[in-house]
Amino acid sequence: MTTRVFGEIPGIPEGSEFENRLFLSKYGVHRPIRAGVSGRATEGADSVILSGGYEDDEDYGHTIIYAGNGGRSYKTGMQVADQQLDGKNLALALNHKHDLPVRLVRGANQKNPFAPEHGYRYDGLFNVASYWPATGRSGFVVWYFRLIKP
């Protein structure tokens, strides 16, 4: 089992770019190859990827409204069920409770001025300032996490 690292990864400065998710995993920036949240409900989340996968994500640069994990169709990528405060969502909630930083990675699939042109970019540490459930754009409950760059 790999030791979870909260905070900076030695030798990987903010702004480091990666060709794909395999390289993010290899260098320990974001370990899961597919999941948007790296973490456990019992420990917290060490990293998240913002890559255009959830329609309810909002990226304002130093403030992000991050739509939680779950409830999406694997075939269409659309929200088809309510999210729960468990698993990866509970991991992010623990970051708020215990004041643990989370590494933010942005992917080029986002259509906004903060996204890299290609691949993925490590954009530093963010704090989970708050979280709440609300009805998302598709009519299902989504857990939202306000991430703020200190």
Side-chain angles (χ1 to χ4, degrees), residues 7 17 22 26 31 49 54 58 77 85 117 135 149:
E17 295 184 352
L22 286 172
K26 176 181 176 180
R31 295 235 180 241
I49 288 187
Y54 281 83
E58 298 176 26
L85 187 59
E117 289 187 30
T135 301
K149 190 169 183 95

Side-chain angles (χ1 to χ4, degrees), residues 19 32 47 102 121 127 134 138 150:
E19 182 179 337
S47 63
V102 63
R121 184 182 63 230
N127 295 324
S138 293

Side-chain angles (χ1 to χ4, degrees), residues 78-138:
M78 298 300 298
Q79 200 72 31
V80 296
D82 292 342
Q83 293 182 352
Q84 305 299 317
L85 187 59
D86 59 10
K88 306 294 185 183
N89 294 337
L90 189 54
L92 280 166
L94 279 181
N95 283 57
H96 174 71
K97 180 178 180 181
H98 298 296
D99 199 27
L100 294 170
V102 63
R103 289 185 299 279
L104 178 84
V105 175
R106 284 187 172 99
N109 291 343
Q110 288 191 98
K111 304 300 180 220
N112 73 46
F114 306 108
E117 289 187 30
H118 307 286
Y120 295 88
R121 184 182 63 230
Y122 167 56
D123 279 349
L125 299 178
F126 282 67
N127 295 324
V128 180
S130 60
Y131 63 97
W132 65 95
T135 301
R137 292 186 178 128
S138 293

